[in-house]
Amino acid sequence: MPAESIQKSGTERVLILAKALPHLGKSQGELVCCAGVTEEGTWRRQYPVRFRFMQDDKKFKRWQWVSYEWKLPQNDKRTESRRINEETVFPEKEMKSQHRAAFLQPLLVATTSEAEKRQQSLTLIRPEKPVFSWIKKSQEQIASERTAYANAVKQLELDLSGFSEEKRALDPCPYEFHYQYTTRGQSHSHQCLDWETSATFYNWKNKYGEEKALTELKRIFGEKYPAEGMAFVMGTHSRHPKTWLLIGVLKLNQSDQLSLF
């Protein structure tokens, strides 16, 4: 019998759940890894995405449905990974908060080890006893990142004269954010690579100042979310498949989930 053919391209519709912090590709400049779930509940990874340099009508946010054309990447064998055609991205409606827990409930697993047994490279967990913290980067680290982001913009060979400040070199966040938590009695520690967390810091820093911004971050991500219900989007490293990264922090109320039963 002939081997089952593998679909190598197509179109799909995905609910976006995570956008990781931008990082620097070897030849493509500043890139973002995104992750979401199809209408059938199948994980999908969208990479690489030059998010800040996309047209405004192509940009999308968490909890928004997005459709696009895709093809299988040549250098990423993870089954969830898709290389998307940015020109075909079409953002659609946002999923209402009261529908989120019901939709994501079937995707929740107890541990990343369970996800590995299912041969997944993306998964969703509920952390137990999460503790939110931050580490201030050194001036040398910030300067190095700032230079790297500036070089990445030049690498794209874009004419910045007509672009807004958003399209100029990314200003690196001066802090690393971290979570310590447990799953089934095992302790874990991960850097929070969720872009929205760092973006929230910058928004509040501009509004309240740095000290108040950190206080508010801890109140929301370290107290409010854990108390009301939260989940982590976890994804494996492309070159280290046994290494799991925290790429998304979701507010996912326990009460919404319990109300289903």
Side-chain angles (χ1 to χ4, degrees):
M1 254 181 106
E4 184 180 355
S5 61
I6 299 176
Q7 187 176 355
K8 296 183 178 180
S9 62
T11 60
E12 61 189 9
R13 185 170 181 260
V14 169
L15 180 70
I16 297 297
L17 297 179
K19 293 201 297 281
L21 282 168
H23 72 279
L24 305 177
K26 290 183 178 179
S27 60
Q28 296 170 288
E30 181 189 312
L31 305 173
V32 174
C33 178
C34 305
V37 181
T38 67
E39 295 171 281
E40 296 74 30
T42 303
W43 282 102
R44 288 290 183 260
R45 176 184 291 104
Q46 300 80 34
Y47 179 83
V49 180
R50 298 182 301 172
F51 189 82
R52 289 199 310 130
F53 300 90
M54 294 173 69
Q55 297 177 12
D56 287 343
D57 63 350
K58 303 290 184 185
K59 291 183 177 180
F60 47 84
K61 57 185 179 180
R62 177 174 288 153
W63 302 116
Q64 192 168 11
W65 287 101
V66 175
S67 59
Y68 52 79
E69 295 178 3
W70 63 271
K71 62 181 180 180
L72 288 180
Q74 295 182 344
N75 57 352
D76 187 349
K77 301 304 180 183
R78 294 172 294 181
T79 58
E80 301 93 338
S81 296
R82 298 289 184 266
R83 188 179 185 92
I84 70 173
N85 180 348
E86 293 177 0
E87 295 299 318
T88 67
V89 170
F90 181 70
E92 302 178 26
K93 62 182 179 180
E94 184 176 344
M95 178 179 279
K96 294 182 179 180
S97 59
Q98 63 266 33
H99 299 151
R100 296 169 185 174
F103 181 73
L104 295 182
Q105 168 64 22
L107 300 175
L108 284 163
V109 300
T111 66
T112 53
S113 296
E114 183 177 331
E116 286 180 14
K117 292 177 182 178
R118 299 182 183 187
Q119 298 184 322
Q120 295 177 208
S121 68
L122 286 166
T123 197
L124 189 68
I125 66 171
R126 279 204 186 273
E128 301 166 11
K129 302 176 182 177
V131 177
F132 180 76
S133 63
W134 56 83
I135 298 173
K136 188 172 180 62
K137 297 176 183 177
S138 68
Q139 291 301 315
E140 292 77 11
Q141 183 179 356
I142 295 172
S144 176
E145 291 180 7
R146 185 173 287 119
T147 298
Y149 280 125
N151 290 339
V153 169
K154 294 177 183 177
Q155 186 175 309
L156 289 171
E157 298 180 345
L158 295 171
D159 178 12
L160 297 180
S161 60
F163 283 178
S164 68
E165 285 297 323
E166 183 190 11
K167 307 301 192 299
R168 299 186 185 275
L170 189 67
D171 190 20
C173 183
Y175 292 91
E176 288 182 0
F177 300 107
H178 292 257
Y179 271 103
Q180 288 184 312
Y181 62 98
T182 63
T183 56
R184 287 191 171 171
Q186 277 197 318
S187 297
H188 308 278
S189 180
H190 281 98
Q191 182 180 348
C192 179
L193 301 177
D194 180 73
W195 192 4
E196 189 171 295
T197 306
S198 293
T200 301
F201 165 77
Y202 265 115
N203 290 339
W204 287 349
K205 176 176 177 288
N206 292 336
K207 186 175 182 179
Y208 304 122
E210 187 166 306
E211 184 176 351
K212 180 68 180 297
L214 291 171
T215 300
E216 284 297 296
L217 273 183
K218 185 174 183 180
R219 183 180 68 83
I220 296 298
F221 291 96
E223 298 172 13
K224 182 179 174 64
Y225 279 21
E228 297 181 358
M230 67 189 304
F232 288 165
V233 179
M234 308 292 294
T236 61
H237 194 290
S238 60
R239 294 188 299 276
H240 307 285
K242 296 294 185 181
T243 300
W244 287 87
L245 308 173
L246 170 51
I247 61 174
V249 178
L250 308 184
K251 186 177 187 296
L252 199 63
N253 288 2
Q254 294 275 14
S255 58
D256 292 338
Q257 183 177 326
L258 294 173
S259 67
L260 302 174
F261 302 97

